[in-house]
Amino acid sequence: NTEVVKNLLGDFNWRTRIVGAYFSTIMDLKEVEDIIGIHLLKSQVCYAGTGYCLTLASFNTKNGIEYLKKYLDYYLTQKHLHFDQRDAMSALKWTDQLNGTNEIKNYLELYKDWSSDKYAQDLDLSFEGFESQMESLNKIKTAYNNV
């Protein structure tokens, strides 16, 4: 339920936070979107950002997209930080495809500059992985809703 998900998201451990994010997606708990968005922006624990990006993309709300854009606005200017920039870019591309928008175009040059001295930063490969994870979450979500 929502209370359990909030507790998972409130724990200072990436494993419990990512589980909370996944359950938010599966149960479509948009009431925790601000918690997830703020966690993404703070980037307090490693690995959880992937789950946050998947959840925000799944919710596909204006508010969630704004969190992704705020994340990219800041973290793509931090060349020394290798966090969840690829996941945020993939999430934005996912929402662009759903909404018929092209928000990602505003970040391609920043991304190119940010990734210029990094290894294996192929955005197309990142999106393929993101898309695969999203498809898996959507299958679980469908099964959950059919129970």
Side-chain angles (χ1 to χ4, degrees), residues 17-72:
R17 284 192 180 187
I18 203 166
V19 169
Y22 288 159
F23 275 113
S24 299
T25 301
I26 293 164
M27 298 169 64
D28 201 34
L29 298 177
K30 289 185 178 84
E31 59 266 33
V32 299
E33 182 176 58
D34 286 325
I35 295 169
I36 290 170
I38 290 167
H39 281 336
L40 176 66
L41 294 176
K42 288 183 175 182
S43 290
Q44 294 173 314
V45 295
C46 60
Y47 306 118
T50 299
Y52 302 153
C53 290
L54 285 161
T55 300
L56 293 172
S58 172
F59 289 168
N60 190 32
T61 66
K62 183 177 181 176
N63 188 44
I65 293 167
E66 287 302 313
Y67 278 118
L68 293 169
K69 289 165 45 176
K70 285 178 189 174
Y71 181 88
L72 292 169

Side-chain angles (χ1 to χ4, degrees), residues 74-128:
Y74 178 75
Y75 285 99
L76 287 179
T77 65
Q78 305 302 308
K79 292 189 76 132
H80 64 288
L81 298 178
H82 184 88
F83 290 176
D84 301 295
Q85 289 91 330
R86 288 183 296 164
D87 290 318
M89 290 289 286
S90 294
L92 195 58
K93 182 175 178 179
W94 177 270
T95 60
D96 277 345
Q97 289 180 348
L98 293 176
N99 300 321
T101 56
N102 195 12
E103 294 287 342
I104 197 168
K105 77 174 176 359
N106 299 321
Y107 297 94
L108 291 174
E109 282 303 314
L110 275 173
Y111 182 83
K112 184 179 175 183
D113 185 51
W114 172 81
S115 66
S116 65
D117 63 343
K118 312 278 188 305
Y119 60 94
Q121 298 298 319
D122 187 310
L123 206 48
D124 290 330
L125 286 176
S126 295
F127 184 69
E128 286 176 23

